[in-house]
Amino acid sequence: MPPVAAMDVSVADYDGYRLRLHAPLATHVNDKGCAFGGSLASMMTLASWGLVSLHVEEAGLEAEVFVADSQIRYLAPLFADLDVEAELAPDAAWPGFIATLRERGRARIGLVARAKLPDGGIATEFTARYVAIAKPRAAGAISG
């Protein structure tokens, strides 16, 4: 997506549980010299979407992933590069999500993403629900 390329976002780490993204502050600085709130929101949305997409792919499924709803809390200004980490919400589990997607062709899951301050504190916290909708199989495809 062109807007993502313009954001200069890179994958910092993926360990199967968390997806971390990084972007330089210089690309996202606002008039106050700190990270623009819209950039933080975009990166947290993207990190969470990416985490769901990776799990769907790792399960051998093909699905479109959408953000269903989200909430953001801006807790402190960030005067450093943007480092965002997405993970499952405390009440969510990948096995149930994947099983539901396989059985019903549609599933939803909760995620949490945070933008960290250099001292380890939290600048911004994002909670969201994502929906995966299975892609229809091609006509004549053999199901296994």
Side-chain angles (χ1 to χ4, degrees), residues 3-138:
V4 175
M7 291 175 66
D8 197 15
V9 175
S10 61
V11 174
D13 187 46
Y14 173 61
D15 64 5
Y17 301 99
R18 292 175 191 86
L19 177 61
R20 288 187 327 126
L21 301 181
H22 174 85
L25 176 63
T27 309
H28 302 277
V29 69
N30 65 17
D31 60 323
K32 296 157 194 64
C34 61
F36 174 59
S39 293
L40 290 165
S42 295
M43 283 188 62
M44 291 185 289
T45 302
L46 185 60
S48 299
W49 172 86
L51 186 59
V52 175
S53 297
L54 285 165
H55 277 272
V56 167
E57 184 178 304
E58 289 169 0
L61 301 172
E62 291 186 25
E64 298 291 354
V65 176
F66 303 92
V67 61
D69 58 59
S70 64
Q71 181 177 19
I72 299 175
R73 293 179 355 154
Y74 297 94
L75 304 170
L78 178 61
F79 291 93
D81 286 352
L82 288 68
D83 289 303
V84 168
E85 183 175 276
E87 63 186 346
L88 277 179
D91 60 345
W94 290 118
F97 169 77
I98 294 299
T100 300
L101 182 57
R102 281 188 201 284
E103 293 167 12
R104 297 185 185 160
R106 182 181 184 110
R108 72 179 133 200
I109 195 157
L111 285 100
V112 176
R114 295 176 183 90
K116 302 267 180 118
L117 295 166
D119 68 3
I122 298 170
T124 309
E125 185 172 68
F126 169 91
T127 56
R129 283 185 309 156
Y130 280 74
V131 175
I133 301 170
K135 291 182 181 179
R137 291 183 182 254

